[in-house]
Structures are given as C-alpha cells and as structure tokens.
Amino acid sequence: MPNIVVVGSQWGDEGKGKVTDLLAPHVDAVVRYQGGNNAGHTVVVGREKFVLHSIPSGILHPGLRCVIGCGVVVDPAALIEEMEALVRRGIVLDGNLYVSRNAHLIMPYHRALDLASEAKLGDRRIGTTGKGVGPAYVDKAARVGIRMADLLDEPVFREKLAANLRQKNRLLSEIYDAQTFTVEEILGPYLRYAGWLAPYITDTELLLNRWINAGRSVLFEGAQGTMLDIDHGTYPYITSSSTTAGGAATGTGVPPTKIHGVLGVSKAYATRVGGGPFPTELQGKMAELLRARGNEYGATTGRPRRCGWFDTVVGRYAVRVNGLDTIALTKLDVLDKCETVKIGVGYRYRGELLTEFPQEERVWNEAEPVWEEMSGWQTSTAGLRDYADLPTKARQYLDRLAELVGMEFCLVSTGAVRDDTILLADSPLTRWFPSLRGSIPPR
Ligand code: IMP
C-alpha cells in the first residue's frame, strides 16, 4: 500500500485540505508532519465547512487514524479547542487521534514573542500568523523546547518551564518591553491540558512504522507550501518548518525509503499571505476579482490574501525540491470570468532572463515577470467532473501550464466540495490509489 506525501507547491493555501479529504477513504492513516495551528485546512463536506488547524484533515472520515507527528508544534489550548469543536459536530476522536510524545509545545511566551518580534520588525515584518510557531521552533533548535512527553511529567515540566521563563521574561521585558509570565499562571492551565491530552499522546513514530510494516497506507499531509520552507522558501519570509516533502520523513519518524511518492497541490493561479516576494502578484481590479471569486482570505487569520497569476518558475522549482510525481490543480473555476489569463514564465533582471527562482532579496526587488498571455474561456467550469466537458480554452491553459512546469496534472478541482473534481484517467495518483477510479459520482 503506498505512502504518499501531499505537499503545497506554492505559498500555502493551495487546497491541500480538499485533496487530503478526497484521498482519505483510500488510505489507512493521515499524518501531519510540520507546522502548527498556523495552518488552516478547509474541507467542505456536503453543506458543512470544517477548518482544521492542527488535526489532519482525515479526521472527518470515521475510523481513519490521524496522527500529529513529532515535527509539528502544538498549542495545547488550541488543539483542545479544535478537538472539542469536532466532537460537538459528531466527529469521534477516541481511538482515531494520536499525538507524538516528541512534538514540541507552543507556550504562551512563544505567542508573546511572535507578536513582539513582528511589531519590532516594522516594514520588514514577516506577517506571521501570530500563533507562536516560529519561536517554538527556535526553542526546539536551541534545545530548550518542551515536548508533549514533558507535559505528562509534572516535575520535569515545572523545571523546564521555570528555566525557560527566566530567559524569556528578560527577553520580553528588556528587549521587547512586553508582558512577562509567572510559572504558576502557565503551570495551572498546562497541567489541565496534560490531563485532557494524555490519552492521545503516544510514540507515534513507532506506531506509524508498525502500521506501514503491516501493509497499511499512510498519507502525509503537508501544511503551508514549498515557498515557505525554512530552507527552500523565500527566506526570511517563510515559516519555520520543513514544509517540503523531505520534512515528511523527519517530521514523522517514517524513513524516506518507506515513502513511495509525492503529490504537489497548486492553485490555477497564485496567492500569498504575509510579506515577502511574489513576482507574479497582481494589484487592482484583477487581484480583487481573484480574491472575491476564490474567497482568498486566510482560514486562520482572516487576512486578505495577495493574489497573482500562476508562476511556472515556482512550479518547476516545486517539482525539483519536492521530487513531485504529479500535481493536483485546484480552483480552476476561479478563472472562469477572466478575459485573458496570464502565465509567469520567467523574470527579467537587469536585462537578463531568469528561468530559475532567484534567492537574493536584491533580485526579488528588481525582477519583473515575463508573461505569456492566453485568452480566457469565460464559461463556467464550476462543478465539472469530466475532463471532456472543459472548454477548449481551459484545456489549452492546463496543457500550457503542464508543459511549462514539466509535469502532468492528475486532478483538476472545480469547486470546494469533495466531488467537484476532475480525475485524469491515467496518472500516478490513480496508479497509487486504483480505488479512486470511479469514486466521483457524475453530476
Ligand atoms: P508563521 O508560520 O505564523 O510564523 O508565519 C510565517 C509566514 O508563513 C507568514 O507569511 C504567514 O502568512 C505564512 N503562513 C503560515 N501558515 C500559513 C498557511 O497555512 N497558509 C499560508 N501562509 C501561511
């Protein structure tokens, strides 16, 4: 049974939640491997909309095992809130949700440091989600982080908390002029969270390997996207984790040799939240059109997303750094009303044509996108489920994107609900999951 990574090929918000939800019935487990509750994975089931932040999107499928891997940073209060909201809507968590004992905790001082450091950066702020994700990873790398297992061991937790606060309080008061914390005000709530979460905390690295060795199939659900990766993204305008496919191994304890393929998810255009380079970004009316039609507002923060045309340089980069086998293209219907559609095919920098994504801020600031323009199809593709029903111009657009990115699409999404999806007949996706064939009912 295949173990497949689902990874964002752009700046996040590509529709990984929908793709994961679509594949979930065909696997035995879904695991998140990085990031935290900065993610917002939206899944529409019938008339119900779910936004998941820390819990894998597979949780909406009864009996599917969902794992929060060791590479994730967990805000226990936010996780419990998310769990309670799911339980209220009839989702069963007991026996289905597992949290790695090695996952690091997001602490209240991480959130305070996130907000304070952003405020101090001024114009150079990253535009973080303010959830404390970056500072939690800082502590992990500095070897002073507190892990889930520590939360279950009161004396150890108290000692680590006190040691952290001695340093964090000085940072907060002396550098940032921000509010400090006492051990007691954090200890009380966190011990309550420990009681709540204890039944779910376990050695997920061992469990996942056992499942895989028993022939079960695991889906690795990436959060954010390639261009936000700590190593391969637009540093420093990134998130603090390994969002690319390589993170799936380190963030779960499943060795790379047990992973069989990587599925990239891209929108039919591009969006970005927060600061940093976005060469194909649009301003004005066209940006507003995409934002309104694509409902491009952050699922976690509600912030309007920056919108632009599809950038095939980014697409090719994502193919390379993730080793993509195939791409799921989402939100094609958002482009239905465009008179023309543009595709970013390179950048012009001081007279030179760049066809690889530049890494230098100086180049980002000056480079101009090089466009190809096609006429739009101006017919509704919303809800189409058959490739043959797509207007010719939409098919030409898809063919040109695939040609420029150098990778075929395995599915095209034409709406938010699970079944509004065109599955391409023969692709790595249907070879990995043959049961997908015929799983989407005709309209
Ligand atoms: P952080 O992850 O909260 O530290 O934010 C760092 C950068 O990543 C900011 O530009 C955020 O807007 C962006 N970011 C974090 N999570 C997501 C996401 O789930 N989707 C899109 N952008 C994200």
Side-chain angles (χ1 to χ4, degrees):
M1 294 288 270
N3 305 311
I4 303 298
V5 184
V6 174
V7 72
S9 308
Q10 297 163 317
W11 279 277
D13 309 314
E14 298 93 348
K16 297 177 293 294
K18 170 173 169 170
V19 173
T20 302
D21 179 61
L22 192 72
L23 301 181
H26 308 273
V27 299
D28 300 296
V30 181
V31 53
R32 275 276 310 269
Y33 59 86
Q34 43 69 230
N37 57 322
N38 48 353
H41 291 174
T42 306
V43 180
V44 180
V45 184
R47 287 170 177 230
E48 280 201 79
K49 179 173 159 183
F50 294 83
V51 182
L52 296 148
H53 298 285
S54 297
I55 299 177
S57 306
I59 202 69
L60 305 177
H61 294 262
L64 193 75
R65 291 163 187 200
C66 287
V67 177
I68 297 178
C70 57
V72 175
V73 286
V74 181
D75 181 329
L79 175 60
I80 291 170
E81 199 180 307
E82 195 174 334
M83 290 165 76
E84 286 181 326
L86 288 171
V87 169
R88 275 197 302 276
R89 294 173 77 175
I91 308 289
V92 179
L93 301 179
D94 294 355
N96 295 329
L97 181 66
Y98 303 82
V99 181
S100 171
R101 62 189 179 151
N102 288 344
H104 280 246
L105 292 171
I106 298 179
M107 305 294 291
Y109 48 79
H110 291 139
R111 285 194 302 273
L113 285 166
D114 195 352
L115 297 174
S117 82
E118 281 284 275
K120 210 171 181 76
L121 280 171
D123 281 353
R124 289 188 63 81
R125 71 181 169 278
I126 294 156
T128 72
T129 57
K131 304 289 181 189
V133 168
Y137 279 115
V138 167
D139 280 1
K140 176 176 175 172
R143 295 165 293 191
V144 296
I146 306 181
R147 307 205 283 185
M148 277 291 169
D150 302 325
L151 185 63
L152 302 185
D153 187 334
E154 187 180 335
V156 169
F157 182 72
R158 181 190 287 270
E159 190 189 315
K160 290 194 174 185
L161 174 61
N164 265 288
L165 280 183
R166 280 194 289 279
Q167 185 222 20
K168 296 323 189 266
N169 278 342
R170 284 191 64 183
L171 203 56
L172 283 166
S173 61
E174 291 173 27
I175 306 286
Y176 293 117
D177 203 14
Q179 191 203 333
T180 57
F181 297 87
T182 64
V183 170
E184 296 311 318
E185 74 183 317
I186 296 180
L187 192 66
Y190 270 65
L191 291 181
R192 276 201 305 283
Y193 304 150
W196 224 98
L197 292 174
Y200 303 94
I201 300 172
T202 186
D203 184 346
T204 57
E205 297 80 62
L206 178 65
L207 268 186
L208 283 163
N209 277 286
R210 278 199 179 139
W211 295 341
I212 288 173
N213 290 341
R216 302 229 168 91
S217 171
V218 175
L219 196 69
F220 298 81
E221 182 181 14
Q224 291 87 42
T226 302
M227 302 310 278
L228 291 173
D229 184 276
I230 188 157
D231 290 294
H232 306 290
T234 53
Y235 193 91
Y237 301 99
I238 44 117
T239 190
S240 301
S241 64
S242 296
T243 60
T244 46
T250 54
T252 60
V254 174
T257 46
K258 299 258 167 78
I259 297 176
H260 304 107
V262 186
L263 165 65
V265 185
S266 283
K267 271 180 202 169
Y269 49 99
T271 62
R272 170 164 208 169
V273 202
F278 181 6
T280 59
E281 182 171 14
L282 285 161
Q283 306 290 346
K285 267 200 175 143
M286 189 51 81
E288 278 159 32
L289 178 83
L290 295 182
R291 191 172 301 119
R293 285 187 55 81
N295 190 24
E296 298 296 354
Y297 295 89
T300 300
T301 58
R303 289 180 290 177
R305 296 179 185 140
R306 299 157 67 191
C307 295
W309 296 117
F310 193 104
D311 187 333
T312 55
V313 178
V314 167
R316 270 189 292 108
Y317 183 71
V319 169
R320 169 159 63 86
V321 295
N322 295 296
L324 299 186
D325 294 294
T326 184
I327 296 175
L329 196 81
T330 61
K331 293 188 142 181
L332 179 70
D333 54 304
V334 171
L335 300 179
D336 285 351
K337 287 214 178 338
C338 298
E339 257 173 62
T340 53
V341 280
K342 285 192 185 179
I343 304 174
V345 296
Y347 317 115
R348 179 88 47 203
Y349 173 70
R350 298 187 180 173
E352 193 191 338
L353 176 69
L354 306 181
T355 53
E356 294 295 337
F357 199 85
Q359 298 295 342
E360 305 81 7
E361 287 204 53
R362 170 178 50 80
V363 184
W364 298 335
N365 295 337
E366 280 183 48
E368 291 291 331
V370 177
W371 303 111
E372 256 186 45
E373 200 166 318
M374 300 176 79
S375 66
W377 43 95
Q378 296 192 283
T379 326
S380 174
T381 62
L384 293 185
R385 296 178 185 182
D386 198 334
Y387 189 77
D389 293 340
L390 283 175
T392 310
K393 284 179 179 166
R395 274 190 261 161
Q396 284 167 344
Y397 177 65
L398 295 177
D399 288 347
R400 187 63 185 140
L401 286 188
E403 186 180 8
L404 287 164
V405 170
M407 176 117 314
E408 294 298 325
F409 300 124
C410 56
L411 71 79
V412 178
S413 164
T414 56
V417 300
R418 214 180 266 173
D419 291 335
D420 284 350
T421 303
I422 298 171
L423 208 56
L424 280 301
D426 190 30
S427 72
L429 189 64
T430 50
R431 287 196 285 281
W432 291 327
F433 304 112
S435 50
L436 259 179
R437 290 198 180 98
S439 66
I440 295 171
R443 286 229 288 172

